[in-house]
Amino acid sequence: QGCTQKYIVKNYFYYYLFKFSAALGEEIFYITFLPFTYWNIDHSVSRRMIIVWSIVMYIGQVSKDILKWPRPLSPPVVKLEMRTDAEYGMPSTHAMAATAISFSFFIATVNQYKYPFELGLVAAFVFSTLVCLSRLYTGMHTVLDVIGGALISAVLLVLLYPAWDAIDDFLLTSPFCPLVSIVVPLILCYNYPKLEYYSPTRGDTTTILGAGAGATVGFWLNNQYAVPADTSADFQLGFPLLTGKIAVLMLARFFVGILVVLLTRQLVKNVVLGLLGYRYKFPVDDLEARRRLEVEVPYKFITYSSVGFSATVLVPLLHELLGLM
Protein backbone atom coordinates (compact mmCIF):
# COMPACT_ATOMS: atom_id res chain seq x y z
CA GLN A 1 0.00 0.00 0.00
CA GLY A 2 1.58 3.22 -1.11
CA CYS A 3 1.14 6.60 0.48
CA THR A 4 -0.71 8.85 -1.96
CA GLN A 5 -1.39 11.70 0.45
CA LYS A 6 -0.54 15.19 -0.66
CA TYR A 7 0.95 17.58 1.84
CA ILE A 8 2.03 21.19 2.10
CA VAL A 9 5.35 22.08 3.73
CA LYS A 10 4.77 24.95 6.16
CA ASN A 11 8.19 24.97 7.83
CA TYR A 12 11.04 24.36 5.40
CA PHE A 13 13.66 24.47 8.16
CA TYR A 14 12.15 21.45 9.93
CA TYR A 15 11.39 19.73 6.65
CA TYR A 16 14.96 19.83 5.32
CA LEU A 17 16.53 19.32 8.75
CA PHE A 18 14.66 16.10 9.39
CA LYS A 19 14.87 14.85 5.81
CA PHE A 20 18.63 15.28 6.08
CA SER A 21 18.68 13.71 9.55
CA ALA A 22 16.74 10.70 8.23
CA ALA A 23 19.45 10.21 5.59
CA LEU A 24 22.02 9.93 8.41
CA GLY A 25 20.44 6.60 9.32
CA GLU A 26 20.48 5.12 5.81
CA GLU A 27 22.92 3.17 3.65
CA ILE A 28 24.29 6.23 1.86
CA PHE A 29 25.64 7.59 5.17
CA TYR A 30 27.19 4.35 6.42
CA ILE A 31 28.76 3.50 3.07
CA THR A 32 30.56 6.86 3.26
CA PHE A 33 31.14 7.59 6.96
CA LEU A 34 32.46 4.19 8.06
CA PRO A 35 35.03 3.93 5.22
CA PHE A 36 35.98 7.59 5.73
CA THR A 37 36.77 6.79 9.36
CA TYR A 38 38.89 3.81 8.31
CA TRP A 39 40.79 5.72 5.64
CA ASN A 40 41.32 8.98 7.48
CA ILE A 41 40.87 8.74 11.23
CA ASP A 42 41.61 5.48 13.04
CA HIS A 43 41.53 1.81 12.12
CA SER A 44 40.63 0.62 15.62
CA VAL A 45 37.72 3.08 15.91
CA SER A 46 36.40 2.02 12.51
CA ARG A 47 36.66 -1.67 13.38
CA ARG A 48 34.64 -1.21 16.56
CA MET A 49 31.94 0.83 14.85
CA ILE A 50 31.54 -1.68 12.01
CA ILE A 51 31.21 -4.63 14.40
CA VAL A 52 28.76 -2.78 16.68
CA TRP A 53 26.77 -1.59 13.64
CA SER A 54 26.51 -5.13 12.23
CA ILE A 55 25.36 -6.67 15.52
CA VAL A 56 22.92 -3.89 16.39
CA MET A 57 21.35 -3.81 12.94
CA TYR A 58 20.94 -7.58 12.77
CA ILE A 59 19.19 -7.66 16.14
CA GLY A 60 17.01 -4.70 15.16
CA GLN A 61 15.94 -6.15 11.82
CA VAL A 62 15.17 -9.57 13.26
CA SER A 63 13.24 -8.01 16.13
CA LYS A 64 11.01 -6.18 13.65
CA ASP A 65 10.03 -9.36 11.87
CA ILE A 66 9.50 -11.29 15.09
CA LEU A 67 7.41 -8.64 16.85
CA LYS A 68 5.54 -7.58 13.67
CA TRP A 69 4.36 -4.27 15.09
CA PRO A 70 2.86 -2.13 12.32
CA ARG A 71 4.10 1.31 11.39
CA PRO A 72 1.87 4.35 12.13
CA LEU A 73 -1.38 4.37 10.18
CA SER A 74 -1.50 6.65 7.18
CA PRO A 75 -3.85 8.55 7.37
CA PRO A 76 -3.81 10.22 9.83
CA VAL A 77 0.00 10.22 9.66
CA VAL A 78 1.56 11.60 6.48
CA LYS A 79 4.49 9.42 5.42
CA LEU A 80 7.30 11.26 3.70
CA GLU A 81 9.16 8.07 2.76
CA MET A 82 8.12 5.01 0.80
CA ARG A 83 11.25 2.85 0.67
CA THR A 84 10.79 1.25 4.10
CA ASP A 85 6.99 1.32 4.26
CA ALA A 86 6.77 -2.45 3.71
CA GLU A 87 8.77 -3.12 6.91
CA TYR A 88 7.40 -3.41 10.41
CA GLY A 89 7.98 -0.60 12.87
CA MET A 90 9.27 -1.80 16.24
CA PRO A 91 12.12 -1.14 16.93
CA SER A 92 13.31 1.76 14.79
CA THR A 93 16.57 0.58 13.23
CA HIS A 94 17.38 4.18 12.31
CA ALA A 95 17.29 5.01 16.02
CA MET A 96 19.31 1.90 16.83
CA ALA A 97 22.00 2.56 14.25
CA ALA A 98 22.31 6.27 15.05
CA THR A 99 22.64 5.58 18.78
CA ALA A 100 25.10 2.75 18.25
CA ILE A 101 27.32 4.59 15.76
CA SER A 102 27.44 7.95 17.52
CA PHE A 103 28.08 6.60 21.01
CA SER A 104 30.49 3.84 19.93
CA PHE A 105 32.49 6.51 18.08
CA PHE A 106 32.47 8.66 21.21
CA ILE A 107 33.43 5.79 23.53
CA ALA A 108 36.21 4.58 21.20
CA THR A 109 37.81 8.01 20.77
CA VAL A 110 37.30 9.83 24.06
CA ASN A 111 40.32 8.23 25.75
CA GLN A 112 42.54 8.25 22.65
CA TYR A 113 42.26 11.83 21.45
CA LYS A 114 42.29 15.18 23.21
CA TYR A 115 38.87 16.77 22.95
CA PRO A 116 36.42 17.86 25.66
CA PHE A 117 34.41 14.96 27.08
CA GLU A 118 31.30 17.13 27.23
CA LEU A 119 31.66 18.11 23.55
CA GLY A 120 31.85 14.48 22.42
CA LEU A 121 28.92 13.47 24.60
CA VAL A 122 26.75 16.34 23.34
CA ALA A 123 27.69 15.62 19.71
CA ALA A 124 26.72 11.93 20.07
CA PHE A 125 23.46 12.88 21.79
CA VAL A 126 22.55 15.52 19.18
CA PHE A 127 23.33 13.17 16.27
CA SER A 128 21.25 10.30 17.62
CA THR A 129 18.42 12.62 18.72
CA LEU A 130 18.14 14.23 15.28
CA VAL A 131 17.88 10.84 13.59
CA CYS A 132 15.30 9.67 16.14
CA LEU A 133 13.19 12.80 15.72
CA SER A 134 13.39 12.48 11.94
CA ARG A 135 11.59 9.13 12.14
CA LEU A 136 8.68 10.81 13.92
CA TYR A 137 8.62 13.80 11.57
CA THR A 138 8.63 11.63 8.44
CA GLY A 139 5.77 9.53 9.85
CA MET A 140 7.70 6.26 9.72
CA HIS A 141 7.71 5.39 13.43
CA THR A 142 5.86 5.92 16.67
CA VAL A 143 7.47 7.41 19.76
CA LEU A 144 7.60 3.92 21.28
CA ASP A 145 9.41 2.54 18.19
CA VAL A 146 12.09 5.21 18.51
CA ILE A 147 12.52 4.96 22.28
CA GLY A 148 12.65 1.17 22.02
CA GLY A 149 15.31 1.29 19.31
CA ALA A 150 17.50 3.75 21.22
CA LEU A 151 17.20 1.77 24.46
CA ILE A 152 18.03 -1.55 22.77
CA SER A 153 21.16 0.00 21.27
CA ALA A 154 22.16 1.46 24.63
CA VAL A 155 21.81 -1.94 26.31
CA LEU A 156 23.78 -3.66 23.55
CA LEU A 157 26.59 -1.09 23.83
CA VAL A 158 26.79 -1.69 27.58
CA LEU A 159 26.93 -5.45 27.02
CA LEU A 160 29.44 -5.30 24.16
CA TYR A 161 31.82 -2.73 25.62
CA PRO A 162 33.58 -5.10 28.09
CA ALA A 163 34.21 -7.54 25.22
CA TRP A 164 35.46 -4.96 22.67
CA ASP A 165 39.14 -5.72 23.13
CA ALA A 166 38.62 -9.49 23.11
CA ILE A 167 36.50 -9.31 19.94
CA ASP A 168 39.03 -7.01 18.28
CA ASP A 169 41.90 -9.34 19.18
CA PHE A 170 40.01 -12.33 17.74
CA LEU A 171 39.24 -10.49 14.50
CA LEU A 172 42.87 -9.50 14.05
CA THR A 173 44.80 -12.55 15.19
CA SER A 174 42.67 -15.72 15.19
CA PRO A 175 43.27 -18.08 12.24
CA PHE A 176 39.56 -18.91 12.42
CA CYS A 177 38.48 -15.30 11.88
CA PRO A 178 37.91 -15.47 8.07
CA LEU A 179 35.90 -18.68 8.35
CA VAL A 180 33.75 -17.44 11.25
CA SER A 181 33.28 -14.03 9.62
CA ILE A 182 31.80 -15.61 6.48
CA VAL A 183 29.99 -18.71 7.76
CA VAL A 184 28.16 -17.22 10.75
CA PRO A 185 26.60 -14.27 8.84
CA LEU A 186 25.60 -16.57 5.98
CA ILE A 187 23.85 -18.94 8.39
CA LEU A 188 22.03 -16.00 9.96
CA CYS A 189 20.94 -14.70 6.55
CA TYR A 190 19.67 -18.04 5.28
CA ASN A 191 17.77 -18.61 8.54
CA TYR A 192 16.20 -15.16 8.68
CA PRO A 193 12.60 -15.14 10.04
CA LYS A 194 10.08 -15.91 7.30
CA LEU A 195 7.19 -13.54 6.60
CA GLU A 196 3.84 -14.01 4.86
CA TYR A 197 4.80 -11.38 2.28
CA TYR A 198 8.04 -9.95 0.94
CA SER A 199 9.80 -7.35 3.07
CA PRO A 200 13.15 -5.69 2.32
CA THR A 201 14.42 -6.45 5.84
CA ARG A 202 16.08 -9.74 4.87
CA GLY A 203 17.84 -8.12 1.93
CA ASP A 204 18.93 -5.13 4.01
CA THR A 205 20.18 -7.43 6.76
CA THR A 206 22.14 -9.49 4.25
CA THR A 207 23.66 -6.29 2.87
CA ILE A 208 24.79 -5.19 6.35
CA LEU A 209 26.15 -8.58 7.41
CA GLY A 210 27.87 -9.01 4.04
CA ALA A 211 29.61 -5.64 4.31
CA GLY A 212 30.65 -6.43 7.88
CA ALA A 213 31.94 -9.87 6.87
CA GLY A 214 34.03 -8.51 4.00
CA ALA A 215 35.46 -5.74 6.17
CA THR A 216 36.29 -8.20 8.96
CA VAL A 217 38.20 -10.48 6.59
CA GLY A 218 39.99 -7.36 5.36
CA PHE A 219 40.97 -6.39 8.92
CA TRP A 220 42.41 -9.84 9.53
CA LEU A 221 44.26 -9.95 6.22
CA ASN A 222 45.78 -6.52 6.74
CA ASN A 223 46.98 -7.45 10.19
CA GLN A 224 48.47 -10.74 8.99
CA TYR A 225 50.17 -9.68 5.79
CA ALA A 226 50.20 -5.88 5.49
CA VAL A 227 50.55 -3.36 8.29
CA PRO A 228 49.81 -4.76 11.77
CA ALA A 229 46.84 -3.00 13.33
CA ASP A 230 48.79 -1.99 16.43
CA THR A 231 51.39 -0.11 14.41
CA SER A 232 49.30 1.40 11.65
CA ALA A 233 50.01 4.99 12.68
CA ASP A 234 50.84 5.95 9.11
CA PHE A 235 47.26 5.24 8.17
CA GLN A 236 45.78 7.26 10.99
CA LEU A 237 45.39 11.00 11.30
CA GLY A 238 43.42 10.99 14.53
CA PHE A 239 42.11 14.49 15.16
CA PRO A 240 44.93 16.72 13.88
CA LEU A 241 44.83 20.41 13.25
CA LEU A 242 43.17 20.42 9.86
CA THR A 243 45.63 22.21 7.60
CA GLY A 244 44.94 22.74 3.93
CA LYS A 245 47.33 19.96 2.92
CA ILE A 246 45.80 17.44 5.30
CA ALA A 247 42.27 18.38 4.22
CA VAL A 248 43.16 17.86 0.55
CA LEU A 249 44.80 14.52 1.40
CA MET A 250 41.74 13.33 3.31
CA LEU A 251 39.38 14.35 0.53
CA ALA A 252 41.60 12.65 -2.06
CA ARG A 253 41.58 9.42 -0.05
CA PHE A 254 37.82 9.64 0.34
CA PHE A 255 36.95 10.26 -3.31
CA VAL A 256 39.40 7.65 -4.60
CA GLY A 257 38.06 5.16 -2.07
CA ILE A 258 34.39 5.82 -2.78
CA LEU A 259 35.01 5.49 -6.52
CA VAL A 260 36.63 2.09 -6.01
CA VAL A 261 33.85 0.97 -3.64
CA LEU A 262 31.08 1.98 -6.06
CA LEU A 263 32.83 0.35 -9.02
CA THR A 264 33.34 -2.82 -6.98
CA ARG A 265 29.68 -2.93 -6.00
CA GLN A 266 28.45 -2.46 -9.56
CA LEU A 267 30.88 -4.93 -11.10
CA VAL A 268 30.35 -7.71 -8.56
CA LYS A 269 26.57 -7.19 -8.55
CA ASN A 270 26.38 -7.56 -12.34
CA VAL A 271 28.59 -10.66 -12.36
CA VAL A 272 26.81 -12.41 -9.47
CA LEU A 273 23.32 -11.63 -10.79
CA GLY A 274 24.36 -12.87 -14.21
CA LEU A 275 25.63 -16.16 -12.79
CA LEU A 276 22.55 -16.63 -10.60
CA GLY A 277 20.27 -15.77 -13.51
CA TYR A 278 22.00 -18.44 -15.60
CA ARG A 279 21.79 -20.95 -12.74
CA TYR A 280 18.11 -20.39 -11.89
CA LYS A 281 16.96 -19.40 -15.39
CA PHE A 282 15.65 -15.85 -14.89
CA PRO A 283 16.46 -12.49 -16.54
CA VAL A 284 18.58 -10.23 -14.32
CA ASP A 285 15.92 -7.50 -14.36
CA ASP A 286 13.26 -9.86 -12.94
CA LEU A 287 12.57 -8.23 -9.55
CA GLU A 288 10.44 -11.09 -8.25
CA ALA A 289 13.16 -13.64 -8.99
CA ARG A 290 15.76 -11.48 -7.24
CA ARG A 291 13.62 -11.55 -4.09
CA ARG A 292 13.78 -15.34 -3.80
CA LEU A 293 15.89 -16.63 -0.90
CA GLU A 294 18.28 -18.62 -3.08
CA VAL A 295 18.97 -15.51 -5.16
CA GLU A 296 18.70 -12.55 -2.79
CA VAL A 297 21.01 -13.85 -0.07
CA PRO A 298 24.00 -14.89 -2.23
CA TYR A 299 23.73 -11.92 -4.57
CA LYS A 300 23.61 -9.33 -1.80
CA PHE A 301 26.04 -11.10 0.50
CA ILE A 302 28.71 -11.58 -2.16
CA THR A 303 28.24 -8.07 -3.53
CA TYR A 304 28.54 -6.29 -0.21
CA SER A 305 31.21 -8.54 1.27
CA SER A 306 33.23 -7.56 -1.80
CA VAL A 307 32.50 -3.92 -1.00
CA GLY A 308 33.68 -4.35 2.61
CA PHE A 309 36.81 -6.20 1.50
CA SER A 310 37.56 -3.62 -1.16
CA ALA A 311 37.20 -0.74 1.32
CA THR A 312 39.58 -2.28 3.86
CA VAL A 313 42.18 -3.94 1.60
CA LEU A 314 42.13 -2.71 -1.99
CA VAL A 315 41.51 0.97 -1.27
CA PRO A 316 44.39 1.35 1.25
CA LEU A 317 46.70 -0.38 -1.23
CA LEU A 318 45.61 2.03 -3.94
CA HIS A 319 46.09 4.96 -1.55
CA GLU A 320 49.64 3.81 -0.93
CA LEU A 321 50.29 3.31 -4.63
CA LEU A 322 49.05 6.85 -5.37
CA GLY A 323 51.12 8.37 -2.56
CA LEU A 324 48.08 9.35 -0.47
CA MET A 325 49.19 7.70 2.77
Side-chain angles (χ1 to χ4, degrees), residues 249-307:
L249 190 63
M250 293 173 71
L251 287 174
R253 289 175 179 170
F254 175 72
F255 285 116
V256 168
I258 287 298
L259 178 61
V260 172
V261 164
L262 293 177
L263 288 174
T264 299
R265 182 175 68 168
Q266 193 61 43
L267 176 63
V268 176
K269 176 182 176 180
N270 291 341
V271 171
V272 173
L273 273 179
L275 292 174
L276 289 171
Y278 177 77
R279 167 68 177 80
Y280 293 107
K281 304 295 187 294
F282 68 87
V284 294
D285 57 352
D286 186 342
L287 184 59
E288 287 302 315
R290 286 162 58 172
R291 290 175 170 178
R292 287 154 44 188
L293 174 69
E294 65 272 20
V295 175
E296 183 176 59
V297 169
Y299 124 64
K300 292 204 169 185
F301 191 88
I302 294 172
T303 298
Y304 283 91
S305 62
S306 300
V307 167

Side-chain angles (χ1 to χ4, degrees), residues 157-229:
L157 279 175
V158 170
L159 294 176
L160 288 171
Y161 179 72
W164 268 15
D165 290 340
I167 294 172
D168 200 43
D169 182 67
F170 173 82
L171 296 180
L172 294 176
T173 62
S174 173
F176 300 105
C177 172
L179 180 64
V180 172
S181 298
I182 298 297
V183 172
V184 171
L186 271 177
I187 291 174
L188 294 176
C189 292
Y190 274 107
N191 290 277
Y192 192 84
K194 293 180 174 60
L195 297 176
E196 297 79 16
Y197 64 92
Y198 178 79
S199 168
T201 48
R202 185 183 65 200
D204 291 345
T205 304
T206 304
T207 293
I208 293 163
L209 293 184
T216 301
V217 173
F219 299 151
W220 180 86
L221 197 63
N222 284 337
N223 192 61
Q224 298 297 315
Y225 300 105
V227 180

Side-chain angles (χ1 to χ4, degrees), residues 16-67:
Y16 287 114
L17 173 65
F18 290 125
K19 289 286 282 185
F20 173 76
S21 300
L24 297 179
E26 296 175 358
E27 178 191 1
I28 188 63
F29 173 74
Y30 298 114
I31 205 173
T32 54
F33 175 71
L34 294 176
F36 180 87
T37 305
Y38 188 78
W39 300 328
N40 289 307
I41 298 178
D42 191 310
H43 284 181
S44 65
V45 172
S46 180
R47 289 197 304 270
R48 282 162 170 75
M49 285 198 299
I50 289 172
I51 297 306
V52 168
W53 173 64
S54 300
I55 294 172
V56 164
M57 288 299 289
Y58 174 76
I59 291 174
Q61 296 284 72
V62 168
S63 298
K64 280 185 178 184
D65 289 339
I66 291 176
L67 294 174

